[in-house]
Amino acid sequence: MRHKPDITYFLFIALSLAAATAPASEFITIGSGSAFDLSADGSVVVASGGYWTREHGLVPLPGATAVSDDGSVFAGSTMEGGPYRWTAETGFEPLGPPPGFPFASAVARSVSGDGNVVGGDLTEPGDNAWIWTEEDGYRWLGPGARTVNALSTDGRVAVGNGGSNSSGFSSAFRWTHENGLVRLPTLGGGVFPSVAFDLSPNGSVVVGDSPSAALPEGRREAFRWTAEGGIKGLGALPSASSSQAFGVSADSLVAVGTSRVGGFRAFVWDEVHGIRDFEKVLRENYGLTHVTLGSDARASRISADRRTIAGSGSGGAWVAYLDHPIGPPLPEFGDYNADGKVGQPDLNLALGKWGKDLPDFAYPWINDLPVGAVGQSELSAVVLNWPANAGPLDLSLGVSNGALTANYDLKTNAAIIDYSGSSPAATVRQQILSGRGGAGFGKPWNGPGITSSTAATANATEPESRSVGYAENGAMPLGPYTTFRGQPVDNTSILMAFTRTGDANLDGIVNDDDVTIVGATYAPGVAQPSWSLGDFDYNGFVDDDDVTLLGVFYDPSAQPLIAAAPAGTAAVAAVPEPASWMLLASSLVALSLFAIRRCYLSRSERAT
């Protein structure tokens, strides 16, 4: 028997997860021109002439240059109307002319992640960078600020270039609402300008290019800057004369840009792999062997999860959708000890550092991450990325009541909740009830709580056929399991699984055992809120509706719906012989399959 921690609240979950099939990588040409910006989830690309989505293609939006994190707010400018903010609901919202200047002189180049702040500059020379909010209108950033290329999520940090460095060229800056403008250092050498092109969501990391002593003639080199570590050159592709970084991922670990090798080659950089030719990465790591970016390629922006990159080439604007994140393993994807795989050590780290800062994890570069305390997201990352056939994972966590909620999409998987003290069965039922969208027929299975997107998809074509069921192991009518999906269990365990509707004992099939159970528990009007007793529609009773469901989906010859078990283990332990009281109830199985189906037919006839 496993050790059970003494906890005031619980979450001890063992999940046996089958590998989810990730969509294949895809490279899509958007159209002629350039790609300027990308929403945080990668679904919206701002390109020449408008914005692009999978659903609608390139939607015209004259002068658009930037988009908010959620893809709902755009910023841009036109010769006729000047700078604007635009949403599908409100349409164009002109910002008006900057004080003392005509409409046409103002250019909007960026928008904050929350969509509330617009940044830009004037076409006239000088230090004319500005930010705009609906409350305060225009605000000039002051001497040394010529352009605003990017804004933080809340708009309180801006980056761009302006003023002059020691060589008389404009220099990169970082401006904050609290402290004003600060010029960023350079990489030394050269007589070229420096520019800051992008920043992390909280503004703590900046990327751009700077004159560099490391390149011939002190030419431009892509850089990454942090307040703690200062400026760092990212290098250039082999035989390249320069490089520029245009975008940085939300976790600040990956930068994208271009490097001059005769023409220009798009690159991707991270601290583990260094700078790499993006076209080569697409071909070798993502199977996109047909991709040719051309001689004028640049990667402009990267999504928050590092699975979407937008850019431009000789063939026009493009977007690359990747089947796995580019760069080092994502901490929020569960590999917390940086060994290249998700496993029990990562789980132990997450549990051991619950409520502590994420930089306590083992990544050497983790201190640059603007991430808060370890919690539900980090735990879910391990759960969702548990490898196939690795066996169930054990989560043992003690937290104060209410500090943690179960919010899992089980897909085709199973879970075990072990507990000490009072049973959490009622809580589990309520969370599944919430996840399925309520009691009764026709629920969408897309609510908050414990749910299954696989059930939702299956039920769209075969209504009510799939569900998430649960059972108090020690109270199962046909006796408790000793092993469930290859994991030892005892009587104080809650079992959960994606399964067929009507599968009361969670063995993945609807057969005579389930008929036996419902035959013994069938009692309309008597509250029996438990799946394992036959309450398949979660209305709290084992009644005619549950008999109907059992009759419809009864199929002893069907293949059991169970997740893969680790090699050398049984997928589901043999169920003990029925208890004596169940044998005495055998007469109730006169609710024979014929009768069950008869009941279903009569209900169907009434429905028609």
Side-chain angles (χ1 to χ4, degrees), residues 73-75 83-87 91-95 115-116 118 132 134:
V73 182
F74 296 83
Y84 67 78
R85 194 174 63 159
W86 182 92
T87 71
F92 285 93
E93 301 175 5
L95 307 190
N116 294 325
V118 178
W132 175 95
E134 190 170 10

Side-chain angles (χ1 to χ4, degrees), residues 242-504:
S242 66
S243 62
Q244 297 173 276
F246 297 128
V248 64
S249 59
D251 61 9
S252 312
L253 300 184
V254 175
V256 297
T258 191
S259 189
R260 186 161 193 161
V261 187
F264 290 92
R265 306 286 296 177
F267 77 75
V268 59
W269 173 95
D270 66 77
E271 194 160 356
V272 174
H273 303 96
I275 192 168
R276 295 181 289 168
D277 186 307
F278 184 53
E279 180 180 311
K280 185 177 181 180
V281 171
L282 290 178
R283 289 171 172 266
E284 296 181 356
N285 294 16
Y286 294 93
L288 297 172
T289 56
H290 65 285
V291 171
T292 301
L293 298 182
S295 59
D296 189 25
R298 59 187 281 170
S300 302
R301 287 291 191 265
I302 180 170
S303 64
D305 65 0
R306 302 202 230 130
R307 293 179 59 173
T308 308
I309 297 176
S312 313
S314 54
W318 49 260
V319 59
Y321 290 104
L322 310 178
D323 62 10
H324 61 275
I326 200 165
L330 283 174
E332 57 265 49
F333 273 45
D335 179 21
Y336 299 128
N337 68 347
D339 65 355
K341 60 185 178 182
V342 175
Q344 194 65 41
D346 306 302
L347 195 56
N348 294 340
L349 278 170
L351 299 176
K353 299 186 181 299
W354 187 268
K356 300 178 182 177
D357 287 339
L358 192 58
D360 290 336
F361 286 119
Y363 279 79
W365 55 85
I366 205 76
N367 288 316
D368 290 335
L369 285 178
V371 185
V374 178
Q376 182 71 37
S377 296
E378 287 69 44
L379 194 62
S380 297
V382 179
V383 171
L384 293 175
N385 291 278
W386 197 256
N389 300 320
L393 54 81
D394 292 332
L395 307 179
S396 181
L397 175 67
V399 295
S400 60
N401 190 23
L404 183 68
T405 59
N407 192 8
Y408 292 115
D409 178 1
L410 289 180
K411 295 184 172 67
T412 61
N413 306 306
I416 301 167
I417 304 177
D418 196 16
Y419 64 92
S420 60
S422 59
S423 171
T427 299
V428 170
R429 179 184 184 277
Q430 186 58 43
Q431 289 171 338
I432 297 176
L433 184 62
S434 175
R436 80 191 296 271
F441 294 160
K443 300 307 176 183
W445 284 99
N446 61 2
I450 300 171
T451 187
S452 167
S453 57
T454 309
T457 301
N459 293 338
T461 56
E462 189 180 6
E464 311 301 334
S465 64
R466 300 293 186 269
S467 300
V468 174
Y470 76 98
E472 176 86 61
N473 190 41
M476 294 192 74
L478 298 184
Y481 285 100
T482 57
T483 304
F484 186 71
R485 310 295 169 94
Q487 171 72 35
V489 292
D490 54 32
N491 285 355
T492 54
S493 297
I494 304 296
L495 313 180
M496 287 188 291
F498 163 80
T499 192
R500 290 182 167 85
T501 302
D503 175 23

Side-chain angles (χ1 to χ4, degrees), residues 14-70:
L15 289 174
S16 50
L17 287 167
T21 302
S25 298
E26 188 176 7
F27 183 87
I28 302 172
T29 300
I30 294 174
S32 60
S34 300
F36 306 123
D37 204 6
L38 181 69
S39 62
D41 67 358
S43 65
V44 181
V45 182
V46 179
S48 299
Y51 68 92
W52 179 93
T53 67
R54 280 183 180 272
E55 295 77 16
H56 304 293
L58 187 62
V59 179
L61 187 60
T65 54
V67 63
S68 62
D69 283 349
D70 66 2

